[in-house]
Amino acid sequence: MLEIGQVRADELAKKFGTPLMAFDLTVMRSILRQYTDNFKSETLKTDIIYASKAFNCKAMISLIEEYGMCLDVVSAGELYTAQKAGYDCSKIYFHGNNKSIDEIKMALDCGVGTIVVDSLPEAGLLSELTAGLTSPVRTLLRVNPGIDAHTHKYIVTAHDDSKFGMLFSNEEEIVKTIRLLQKSPNIIFDGLDAHIGSQVFDKRAFIEEIRMMFEFAGLLKEKYEITSNSIDLGGGFATFYTDEDAPIPIDEVCQTIVQTCEEENEKIGGFVNHILIEPGRSIAAAGSYTLYTAGFTKKTLNKNYVFIDGGMSDNIRPALYQAKYRAFVAGKEAQTPIKKYTIAGKCCESGDILIEDLSLPQVDTGDILIIPATGAYCYSMASNYNKLQFPEVIFVEGGEARVVIRRQTLDDLISREV
Ligand code: LLP
């Protein structure tokens, strides 16, 4: 019987109801420790920024803070949650390609440490909004190494037409943006930021990114006397969903990144002092599960459907990205699979399928179905489609479970309606 944080999965389902998202903190802590133990350098300052878009709630942010990690937020909502968690705002990196005036003001008011500027117009706005500040705000410039998606098909956000950052080939505008930041009295230009994609399995992609980033920092220095103190390499480290996935072990990816940065920094004269990474998925997915109750089953010409009490409303990823998951039936983990089931949700949408044709033991109505690795980008991308309620979320550790986000009630669903 699968245990989560030393509690039997069926007991958790019984106690908290389903759908239920459960995080085994022992597993998550081991991933957090692998990051903090291995992303270290003798010559460079290192920081790990948790990309909270993967899963953002007060309890998660407090956990991140325990490990001394910085925090990436991309909206007023994510920032507000961090504030309410009592997180030290000076360790926040505020990302986003279209921050509003109100969001920037909010960030400045609460003392956000670093704003990641995405474009020339944003630099202009920030320059105006920081005019009256008493202490300066640090900035990084989001750049786009323009890594060719055809050479590295696993890279999705750093292609030439990406909406994020400024393309390396747009050198003139990059320099103009940095000059604007540098001449603003209350802005410190601290360096460059990039993010090449998510669920990246091949460490050569990160090595390539590092080479390009340091080379570009070298060019800025040589040609324009622009010094990048920090280089932020973004996130993208893969996690394990199914047997098809072979993520790079965290210790290995961290050590490779640090070593490559040290080497590349030397090549350009060693002026970079600080390197950063921004993992999200690989942390939030660690030790996470969604528990559902099996409802009706239905046999069609080609499928054995088993319907669950959630679906695309709490996990949009299969419908949106054809993402693959595996599943277990609580109490039947050791039983031999007898047929292929298609696990479908209860939304009025034919595409509301979480897993197609998965070999499982006999599934009966009332069984608890468990889908692992749902902690990243499921709750954070959840919707109330069909007015389904957001699930309860629990942290489990050492035999104790605590609710970190309570289940939405029917009244919650209409609480903003007038
Ligand atoms: N830094 C930046 C600037 C990012 O845009 C992202 C993710 C990360 C860090 C964290 O990347 P990670 O380590 O989680 O791969 N909704 C999609 C994933 C979108 C990722 C967006 N940016 C999904 O469910 O697969």
Side-chain angles (χ1 to χ4, degrees):
M1 169 68 77
L2 177 81
E3 287 194 347
I4 301 171
Q6 292 170 23
V7 186
R8 276 172 51 155
D10 61 336
E11 281 174 15
L12 291 172
K14 204 159 146 197
K15 180 162 180 199
F16 296 98
T18 57
L20 174 69
M21 278 196 69
F23 288 86
D24 184 336
L25 285 203
T26 321
V27 179
M28 174 117 57
R29 284 185 191 284
S30 107
I31 296 287
L32 289 166
R33 255 191 312 273
Q34 285 179 49
Y35 272 113
T36 53
D37 286 352
N38 290 286
F39 194 64
K40 276 185 181 160
S41 160
E42 307 238 306
T43 52
L44 294 161
K45 179 174 184 277
T46 53
D47 270 308
I48 303 157
I49 306 171
Y50 169 63
S52 75
K53 66 203 83 183
F55 177 59
N56 173 301
C57 72
K58 291 192 291 180
M60 184 69 190
I61 292 170
S62 300
L63 182 70
I64 290 303
E65 192 159 36
E66 265 184 53
Y67 288 81
M69 289 188 181
C70 301
L71 196 71
D72 154 4
V73 301
V74 296
S75 68
E78 288 184 357
L79 175 56
Y80 184 73
T81 312
Q83 273 184 295
K84 290 291 173 185
Y87 187 85
D88 174 1
C89 287
S90 71
K91 291 174 74 175
I92 290 181
Y93 287 71
F94 191 11
H95 274 269
N97 63 302
N98 192 27
K99 304 174 192 78
S100 71
I101 295 179
D102 284 348
E103 283 176 324
I104 296 176
K105 282 185 178 163
M106 177 180 174
L108 296 174
D109 282 349
C110 76
V112 159
T114 309
I115 296 191
V116 183
V117 173
D118 189 86
S119 64
L120 179 58
E122 186 187 338
L125 175 63
L126 190 63
S127 180
E128 282 170 33
L129 295 178
T130 51
L133 286 189
T134 45
S135 63
V137 65
R138 236 184 352 257
T139 55
L140 294 175
L141 181 65
R142 170 88 180 250
V143 289
N144 176 355
I147 296 174
D148 186 347
H150 298 292
T151 348
H152 302 288
K153 65 175 185 303
Y154 35 74
I155 294 163
V156 287
T157 56
H159 57 84
D160 283 2
D161 285 314
S162 166
K163 72 168 182 169
F164 298 110
M166 299 175 74
L167 205 57
F168 275 179
S169 56
N170 202 357
E171 192 178 309
E172 205 181 308
E173 195 162 306
I174 290 180
V175 172
K176 206 168 154 188
T177 309
I178 297 175
R179 294 268 186 251
L180 176 56
L181 295 171
Q182 285 178 324
K183 73 167 202 262
S184 306
N186 289 322
I187 296 179
I188 298 165
F189 167 73
D190 191 49
L192 306 173
D193 167 277
H195 169 76
I196 56 168
S198 204
Q199 190 65 352
V200 177
F201 289 105
D202 192 334
K203 65 182 179 189
R204 285 172 306 180
F206 297 112
I207 294 173
E208 175 75 356
E209 180 198 10
I210 295 166
R211 289 203 181 116
M212 293 185 77
M213 289 291 277
F214 278 81
E215 246 171 52
F216 192 71
L219 175 144
L220 289 178
K221 174 87 172 167
E222 208 164 286
K223 222 164 141 185
Y224 305 99
E225 289 180 12
I226 290 171
T227 308
S228 302
N229 178 58
S230 298
I231 291 192
D232 180 343
L233 298 158
F237 316 110
T239 201
F240 180 86
Y241 289 101
T242 72
D243 289 338
E244 286 170 26
D245 302 327
I248 326 159
I250 304 295
D251 52 352
E252 186 182 328
V253 80
C254 287
Q255 288 164 14
T256 304
I257 289 176
V258 169
Q259 195 192 335
T260 314
C261 286
E262 288 169 352
E263 288 164 12
E264 293 302 313
N265 194 28
E266 250 194 62
K267 283 190 202 157
I268 59 167
F271 59 84
V272 174
N273 296 307
H274 183 201
I275 54 167
L276 308 95
I277 50 171
E278 300 175 340
R281 183 195 310 274
S282 48
I283 294 174
S288 63
Y289 305 85
T290 307
L291 281 59
Y292 300 98
T293 303
F296 300 123
T297 54
K298 183 180 284 183
K299 189 159 170 37
T300 61
L301 212 50
N302 299 301
K303 301 257 177 237
N304 291 302
Y305 278 108
V306 51
F307 301 138
I308 51 167
D309 52 355
M312 68 191 298
S313 49
D314 60 76
N315 186 356
I316 190 71
R317 300 192 67 258
L320 195 56
Y321 313 113
Q322 293 74 54
K324 301 274 181 282
Y325 287 87
R326 69 210 149 98
F328 312 106
V329 188
K332 299 183 181 173
E333 289 87 347
Q335 291 183 18
T336 327
I338 55 150
K339 59 181 161 191
K340 288 192 169 166
Y341 285 97
T342 289
I343 302 175
K346 55 187 278 137
C347 292
C348 291
E349 181 100 16
S350 302
D352 179 21
I353 290 173
L354 293 194
I355 308 178
E356 212 158 349
D357 296 329
L358 177 73
S359 296
L360 286 173
Q362 172 71 32
V363 182
D364 298 305
T365 301
D367 278 348
I368 302 299
L369 275 164
I370 305 169
I371 302 191
T374 51
Y377 301 111
C378 289
Y379 197 92
S380 62
M381 295 176 80
S383 78
N384 285 130
Y385 180 47
N386 292 150
K387 281 206 163 158
L388 262 56
Q389 295 143 254
F390 280 21
E392 187 126 299
V393 184
I394 55 172
F395 279 4
V396 198
E397 189 171 28
E400 299 284 327
R402 69 183 161 107
V403 176
V404 296
I405 310 179
R406 66 162 172 77
R407 186 179 308 285
Q408 248 181 343
T409 62
L410 291 174
D411 278 328
D412 286 336
L413 286 176
I414 55 161
S415 62
R416 287 165 297 112
E417 297 182 20
V418 288

